[in-house]
């Protein structure tokens, strides 16, 4: 495992065919810095530690980004986590040139992933309990694959809003897919194995589609 400023990398597979960049949750408004005690970062790091080995066995390296600020903070210009994600994508490009990247985000991290999808390296977005408010743009998802996985008992973000966002994105995206997680809530503390399975399977499916390969190829 390697650390580069705010990026944490999994061990590198022998042959890397794709990348997953994990993006944690946050809040709508907060100028507080994200530190290692941040609960949203902690949850993402927990998933990162559990799934990175599975990705590596399929030739995919995983990176976890720690945002600079807790908040989305759109009123201050480009949302803070989007700027952070663009920085991270530039770092990945320096190391891996043209390899496809899947943005895997939870809650605000999923909104960040969708907003950052216009980067040419991004092959697709997997949103876990995503925060997709009405009116968020979809044009940046043109030609990308988009997955939204949501529990129907989520009271923090809305499964219905996720479905509506996917319906709008379908007009421009390469593909859209909704994964119904049943009667579970927002924070991915129930059925952890199920959330991890969705994260891995849906992300690898996107890598497979854009590389024309499968893990066993």
């Amino acid at each position: 495992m390697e650390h580069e400023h705010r990026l944490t990398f999994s061990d590198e597979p022998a042959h890397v065919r794709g990348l997953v960049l994990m993006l944690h949750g946050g809040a709508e408004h907060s100028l507080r810095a994200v530190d290692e005690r941040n609960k949203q970062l902690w949850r993402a790091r927990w998933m990162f530690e559990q799934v990175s080995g599975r990705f590596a066995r399929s030739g995919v390296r995983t990176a976890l980004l720690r945002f600079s600020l807790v908040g989305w903070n759109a009123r201050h210009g480009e949302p803070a986590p989007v700027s952070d994600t663009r920085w991270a994508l530039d770092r990945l490009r320096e190391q891996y040139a043209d390899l496809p990247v899947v943005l895997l985000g939870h809650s605000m991290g999923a909104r960040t992933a969708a907003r950052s999808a216009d980067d040419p390296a991004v092959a697709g977005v997997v949103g876990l309990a995503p925060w997709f408010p009405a009116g968020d743009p979809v044009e940046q998802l043109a030609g990308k694959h988009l997955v939204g996985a949501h529990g129907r008992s989520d009271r923090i973000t809305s499964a219905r809003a996720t479905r509506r966002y996917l319906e709008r994105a379908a007009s421009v995206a390469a593909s859209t897919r909704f994964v119904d997680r049943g009667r579970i809530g927002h924070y991915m503390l129930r059925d952890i194995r199920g959330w991890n399975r969705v994260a891995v399977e849906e992300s690898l499916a996107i890598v497979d589609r854009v590389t024309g390969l499968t893990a066993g190829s």
Side-chain angles (χ1 to χ4, degrees), residues 28-39:
E28 186 168 5
H29 304 295
S30 176
L31 297 176
R32 182 163 50 87
V34 176
D35 60 28
E36 293 299 323
R37 297 168 294 178
N38 180 272
K39 290 182 179 179

Side-chain angles (χ1 to χ4, degrees), residues 126-207:
V126 176
L128 308 176
W131 174 30
F132 289 153
D136 260 21
V138 297
E139 293 78 12
Q140 74 284 357
L141 288 156
K144 315 290 179 160
H145 300 279
L146 175 63
V147 178
H150 223 130
R152 282 173 272 140
S153 297
D154 193 329
R155 297 294 179 263
I156 306 300
T157 57
S158 166
R160 289 184 180 179
T162 294
R163 286 185 181 274
R164 288 194 291 267
Y165 188 79
L166 290 168
E167 289 168 0
R168 290 197 295 119
S171 63
V172 297
S175 70
T176 61
R177 171 171 159 76
F178 181 81
V179 179
D180 187 344
R181 295 290 291 120
R183 296 193 177 280
I184 43 182
H186 184 71
Y187 292 110
M188 302 192 299
L189 298 176
R190 182 180 171 192
D191 190 19
I192 293 170
R193 289 183 179 179
W195 283 113
N196 290 346
R197 183 177 62 253
V198 169
V200 172
E201 291 180 356
E202 298 298 335
S203 297
L204 288 179
I206 294 174
V207 175

Side-chain angles (χ1 to χ4, degrees), residues 41-200:
L41 175 61
W42 178 83
R43 290 188 192 98
R45 192 178 302 282
W46 191 15
M47 175 177 279
F48 170 85
E49 291 171 351
Q50 295 180 68
V51 303
S52 57
R54 302 184 205 178
F55 280 126
R57 289 191 289 275
S58 295
V60 174
R61 195 177 194 194
T62 318
L64 171 64
L65 173 63
R66 174 168 58 85
F67 293 137
S68 54
L69 300 175
V70 170
W72 177 253
N73 302 328
R75 62 190 178 190
H76 296 280
E78 181 174 67
V82 176
S83 298
D84 291 338
T85 301
R86 297 195 189 283
W87 168 85
L89 287 166
D90 286 343
R91 301 290 79 73
L92 294 180
R93 195 168 6 253
E94 290 171 1
Q95 289 187 254
Y96 293 101
D98 299 325
L99 286 185
V101 180
V102 175
L103 299 177
L104 171 62
H106 172 241
S107 193
M108 186 188 76
R111 187 182 188 186
T112 301
R115 192 68 68 90
S116 307
D118 54 354
D119 186 284
V122 174
V125 169
V126 176
L128 308 176
W131 174 30
F132 289 153
D136 260 21
V138 297
E139 293 78 12
Q140 74 284 357
L141 288 156
K144 315 290 179 160
H145 300 279
L146 175 63
V147 178
H150 223 130
R152 282 173 272 140
S153 297
D154 193 329
R155 297 294 179 263
I156 306 300
T157 57
S158 166
R160 289 184 180 179
T162 294
R163 286 185 181 274
R164 288 194 291 267
Y165 188 79
L166 290 168
E167 289 168 0
R168 290 197 295 119
S171 63
V172 297
S175 70
T176 61
R177 171 171 159 76
F178 181 81
V179 179
D180 187 344
R181 295 290 291 120
R183 296 193 177 280
I184 43 182
H186 184 71
Y187 292 110
M188 302 192 299
L189 298 176
R190 182 180 171 192
D191 190 19
I192 293 170
R193 289 183 179 179
W195 283 113
N196 290 346
R197 183 177 62 253
V198 169
V200 172

